[in-house]
Amino acid sequence: MNDSKQFNDLYAFVQVAKFGSFTQAAMALNVQPSALSHRMNDLEKRLKIKLLNRTTRSVSTTEAGQQLLERTAPMFNIIQQEIHALSDYTDKMIGKIRINTPERPAFELIYPKINRFLAENPEVELEVFINNRYCDIVAERFDFGVRSGQDLAQDMIAVRISAKNTMTVVASPSYINQFGGPNDLQDLRAHRCIVTSFNPDYRLSEWEFMVHGQLHKIRVPESLVFNSLALVKLAANDGLGITWLPRTTVEDEIKAGKLIEFFTNINITYPPMYLYYAKNKHKTPVINALIELLRWQND
């Protein structure tokens, strides 16, 4: 048996098992799904054991296939890491970086800085995966994650990338003209409130404020729920309700008079956002450059 073919087919098997789909794995490998399916059939015949369970909707590993996946996938990861490490021996900025981040840091903190960086370093490959849920960046093979300082694991190295995060309640003039504005926090319960949802099980409908130095929470009606800050802001701009957002997210709209602030004297402020990575992370020149690019420079 040709060793290189065996190696290539094992790598293809890992991709199929990882994606749980011949179509998605074929896209990643730049081959046709039918050709990939034939390769997996041939691999099973050569090994004389069934590796994959196939249905019309999905693909899953058999017990033997899962064992093979668990033992071979880390080896391919190590090979990829060593190949990426070769960029240490060149003066060129080259390599692939994967970042897992919530929506707001992606738009407000990362993209504005990487725009020019990527234009100046065309051989840098970047994947920014927006995910409002917590993620195990090591298990999911991300180079970096982004979280608030209050949510960081102790076994990670953290680099501050933002100012502190102040929240604010806002509504559009059209909404205020139609329904009026809240006079106090209790009034919020009588308004149409636009709520952010980070996942199907958790909605940010308990808004927090600092009243006379004490944390004060108000549970508001979930009149509209979106798992995207961009949609929450859009709905507020369109006069569909009152919402509670990071002030940096709506600062331009406030200055332009498109959104009106309430309760500014009791806004709560949360810790800054941090870029974090594993302590044993192998840092290539492009990774070091990205860390310095995103590092918060202000006091």
Side-chain angles (χ1 to χ4, degrees):
M1 170 57 59
N2 186 311
D3 289 341
S4 62
K5 177 174 174 55
Q6 190 90 314
F7 182 88
N8 291 337
D9 286 351
L10 280 173
Y11 181 74
F13 161 75
V14 169
Q15 300 309 305
V16 172
K18 181 180 72 173
F19 286 106
S21 164
F22 278 110
T23 301
Q24 293 184 44
M27 290 177 61
L29 295 168
N30 196 27
V31 298
Q32 292 297 318
S34 57
L36 184 57
S37 180
H38 287 311
R39 286 174 61 182
M40 294 301 96
N41 286 333
D42 290 342
L43 179 62
E44 289 177 327
K45 289 178 181 178
R46 293 198 304 271
L47 298 178
K48 298 180 180 180
I49 192 166
K50 188 174 178 63
L51 301 174
L52 298 168
N53 293 313
R54 300 165 172 84
T55 69
T56 56
R57 294 187 176 181
S58 66
V59 180
S60 62
T61 55
T62 63
E63 185 175 351
Q66 186 63 28
Q67 176 179 296
L68 183 63
L69 174 67
E70 292 175 356
R71 293 183 179 181
T72 56
M75 299 177 187
F76 285 112
N77 290 338
I78 292 171
I79 292 172
Q80 290 176 335
Q81 290 173 7
E82 292 304 318
I83 291 174
H84 290 159
L86 292 176
S87 61
D88 289 347
Y89 299 95
T90 178
D91 294 331
K92 298 175 68 175
M93 293 289 285
I94 185 171
K96 182 176 182 179
I97 299 177
R98 303 181 74 232
I99 304 175
N100 187 291
T101 174
E103 181 183 14
R104 184 179 74 89
F107 280 91
E108 297 181 18
L109 304 175
I110 296 176
Y111 185 78
K113 290 187 175 182
I114 64 172
N115 191 343
R116 182 176 176 180
F117 176 78
L118 292 176
E120 294 175 347
N121 300 281
E123 293 188 78
V124 173
E125 299 177 42
L126 181 68
E127 178 181 333
V128 176
F129 185 82
I130 294 178
N131 178 12
N132 291 320
R133 299 186 181 193
Y134 292 143
C135 165
D136 184 338
I137 61 170
V138 176
E140 298 190 33
R141 298 189 297 110
F142 285 98
D143 298 294
F144 297 106
V146 177
R147 283 188 192 173
S148 168
Q150 63 189 4
D151 299 321
L152 289 170
Q154 293 184 349
D155 59 345
M156 294 288 169
I157 295 178
V159 178
R160 181 177 172 179
I161 61 172
S162 80
K164 293 181 180 179
N165 178 29
T166 298
M167 304 293 292
T168 191
V169 174
V170 293
S172 71
S174 62
Y175 177 88
I176 296 169
N177 290 337
Q178 184 175 1
F179 299 102
N183 295 314
D184 56 43
L185 294 181
Q186 299 303 322
D187 280 353
L188 289 171
R189 295 194 173 104
H191 280 271
R192 289 181 56 81
C193 293
I194 309 168
V195 171
T196 304
S197 174
F198 292 125
N199 62 62
D201 301 318
Y202 177 63
R203 298 172 176 183
L204 203 60
S205 56
E206 193 170 64
W207 297 357
E208 297 182 338
F209 303 87
M210 292 302 295
V211 181
H212 303 302
Q214 299 294 318
L215 179 64
H216 192 77
K217 299 181 180 182
I218 293 290
R219 185 166 294 280
V220 301
E222 298 175 1
S223 303
L224 286 173
V225 179
F226 297 106
N227 70 337
S228 164
L229 290 186
L231 284 175
V232 170
K233 184 170 75 169
L234 181 61
N237 279 323
D238 287 343
L240 300 182
I242 292 180
T243 193
W244 185 58
L245 287 171
R247 198 181 190 282
T248 55
T249 301
V250 292
E251 191 168 16
D252 290 342
E253 286 76 11
I254 292 171
K255 290 179 179 178
K258 296 179 179 179
L259 291 175
I260 308 301
E261 284 188 283
F262 295 91
F263 314 123
T264 56
N265 61 323
I266 56 172
N267 282 341
I268 192 168
T269 296
Y270 296 119
M273 302 300 293
Y274 286 81
L275 185 78
Y276 67 95
Y277 56 95
K279 289 182 178 180
N280 61 350
K281 178 68 181 173
H282 177 76
K283 292 196 288 183
T284 64
V286 67
I287 284 179
N288 283 325
L290 185 74
I291 291 172
E292 294 308 313
L293 179 72
L294 297 179
R295 187 186 299 274
W296 179 248
Q297 301 295 336
N298 299 26
D299 294 331

